[in-house]
Amino acid sequence: WKRNQSYAAQERLYMLRFSEDMARPEWGEDAVLPTAHRLIMDTAAVMSSELPVIEVPPVGGDGGGEQARALASKLKRYFSSLWWRYENTQPEEPILQTTFFWLLLRGAAWHKTIYNPDKWPDRPTAARRGESDEDFDLRLAEIDADRRQNIPIEVLNRDPATIMPEPARKPTYVFETYKRTVAEVLYAWPEARTHLAGRRQTDLVD
């Protein structure tokens, strides 16, 4: 892909892998590496770590009625708390900060939203051994409150270099590529043995 070749060139700059290209005998030890690219990206990514401002406009003309404004205020607080929960319980890097990083490095950012039932606690049907009815009711109330406030999904950041969108002006689907060992690929697709001839079982392939 020409796109990924361009990504690789940009990543090479960010990772400062160009000292050999800049070696000139006449410079001696006075060569200066252009690190501005990396400094700007890292600074912008760190600055983007604050929570975003979420606004929910009331439904209806002229700001809606009192009931519409009250509902909008509740939704604003709910979405703000939901965003805080995602940012602080993610299994990977913070959403917004990583999004800015990929936007600056790749010029694009992709997110993957998946359903994760483990993020929604199971509702107990009986008390634990030795647990009083009062303690059970309290534990049940806490779990019910968590289930009402939580949505069992995860928002994952993805490197745009691993995403292959439909070749259309407005793609309706994408493919996500992964790195897998030759052994894993052959286990799932034995017919790929000819294509992977000469590769070691531990080699990583797309």
Side-chain angles (χ1 to χ4, degrees), residues 1 3-5 159-164 175-186 188-189 192 195-196 199-200 202-206:
W1 277 27
R3 183 202 69 175
N4 280 13
Q5 290 176 350
D159 182 350
T162 66
I163 302 299
M164 301 169 58
F175 293 100
E176 182 180 2
T177 62
Y178 300 89
K179 292 287 186 183
R180 293 290 185 266
T181 64
V182 170
E184 290 176 308
V185 174
L186 293 179
W189 297 284
H195 179 69
L196 297 174
R199 305 295 293 270
R200 294 179 301 177
T202 55
D203 285 347
L204 289 174
V205 293
D206 289 323

Side-chain angles (χ1 to χ4, degrees), residues 1 23 32 38 50 52 71 90 92-93 105 110-111 132 135 153 180 185 187 190:
W1 277 27
V32 178
R38 180 169 185 156
E50 296 295 328
L71 177 60
Q90 284 293 108
E92 299 181 347
E93 300 85 356
L105 182 63
W110 290 89
H111 300 96
S132 66
D135 289 341
I153 64 172
R180 293 290 185 266
V185 174
Y187 180 81

Side-chain angles (χ1 to χ4, degrees), residues 9-102:
Q10 295 165 2
E11 186 172 337
R12 194 159 169 265
L13 284 175
Y14 177 76
M15 297 302 295
L16 309 181
R17 297 172 183 158
F18 46 77
S19 57
E20 294 181 3
D21 297 341
M22 299 191 63
R24 296 290 187 273
E26 61 272 19
W27 290 352
E29 298 180 356
D30 297 329
V32 178
L33 298 179
T35 56
H37 181 76
R38 180 169 185 156
L39 289 174
I40 292 173
M41 285 184 54
D42 288 350
T43 302
V46 171
M47 290 175 64
S48 66
S49 61
E50 296 295 328
L51 291 177
V53 176
I54 298 176
E55 295 292 345
V56 179
V59 177
D62 299 328
E66 183 178 347
Q67 190 173 9
R69 290 192 295 273
L71 177 60
S73 178
K74 289 181 180 179
L75 289 174
K76 176 181 177 178
R77 292 196 299 271
Y78 172 73
F79 289 133
S80 296
S81 63
L82 197 62
W83 180 271
W84 182 91
R85 180 187 292 262
Y86 286 144
E87 280 284 21
N88 289 275
T89 61
Q90 284 293 108
E92 299 181 347
E93 300 85 356
I95 301 172
L96 196 60
Q97 186 173 345
T98 310
T99 297
F100 269 82
F101 175 82
W102 288 127

